[in-house]
Amino acid sequence: MTTDIPGATEAHEPYSPAPAPTGRRLRWNKVPEVTVYFWVIKVLCTTVGETAADLLNEKLGLGLTGVSLLMSVLLVAVLLAQFRTAAYRPGIYWLAVALISIVGTLISDNLTDNLGVPLETSTAVFAVALVVVFVAWYRSERTLSIHHVDTMRRESFYWLAVLFTFALGTAAGDLVAERMDLGYWISAGLFALAIAAVAVAHFALGLNAVWSFWIAYILTRPLGASIGDYLSQPTADGGIGLGTVITSVLFLAVILGLVVFLAVTRRDVAERERLTPQAG
């Protein structure tokens, strides 16, 4: 069962998916349908990405660069497993998203903290990189739809786009929360309003479903990060002082519960695929 929210249906998409090369197209889509569950888990994963990155950097003693390398290796391993599946698997897919959230955060933090790149610059660079991915994706496949991620090439574009949305969202979120000195809670409200505006533009003004989805996807990153920082940071810094350990464990537990639920019920699988046995 899907809900009619940005990206949930292709009814308003002007792009017709280009046929995949014969013998290389999979029978099933490799990513979930866009339901309420999708957005809830996505925001939770972005929150975990923010708090877990801080936690690992504090506790492992590897330094920002060492933690970045470790998490990147783990991400590559999980993505290899994801690419080897023949259909969407909630556990592998959402583990990849959670790790990309952490790696995207670390990439942005490395540029800012280790290399001294201004947040304005990193935000602009990630925005340009994301546009380049979208242009290459569309020129190659004639669609940016997530309803047809059914070839290795399309899946490669998809995960590359997801990585840059997380990095962009991290940099943009930090720029708003820190440089504009709005604080975590006000920043979270600001990004929530921006997402609501995208939904209104989609439903009331006819904004294309594909672009509505990707804009909302980018905005959920700083939303989740602001929520994570608000919960985990000390009260002196504008948070409520739960700490990175409690916040990360709490959100990971909720994510795990929802992923298990989806694996059993298959609520986020397209109806045409739900009753069909899947291999791989």
Side-chain angles (χ1 to χ4, degrees), residues 203-215:
F203 292 121
L205 304 178
L207 179 63
N208 172 259
V210 171
W211 291 115
S212 298
F213 169 82
W214 284 112
I215 293 170

Side-chain angles (χ1 to χ4, degrees), residues 47-48 51 227-228 231-232 242-252:
T47 303
V48 168
T51 58
I227 294 173
L231 293 174
S232 63
L242 289 182
T244 54
V245 175
I246 294 176
T247 304
S248 298
V249 170
L250 176 63
F251 279 74
L252 282 172

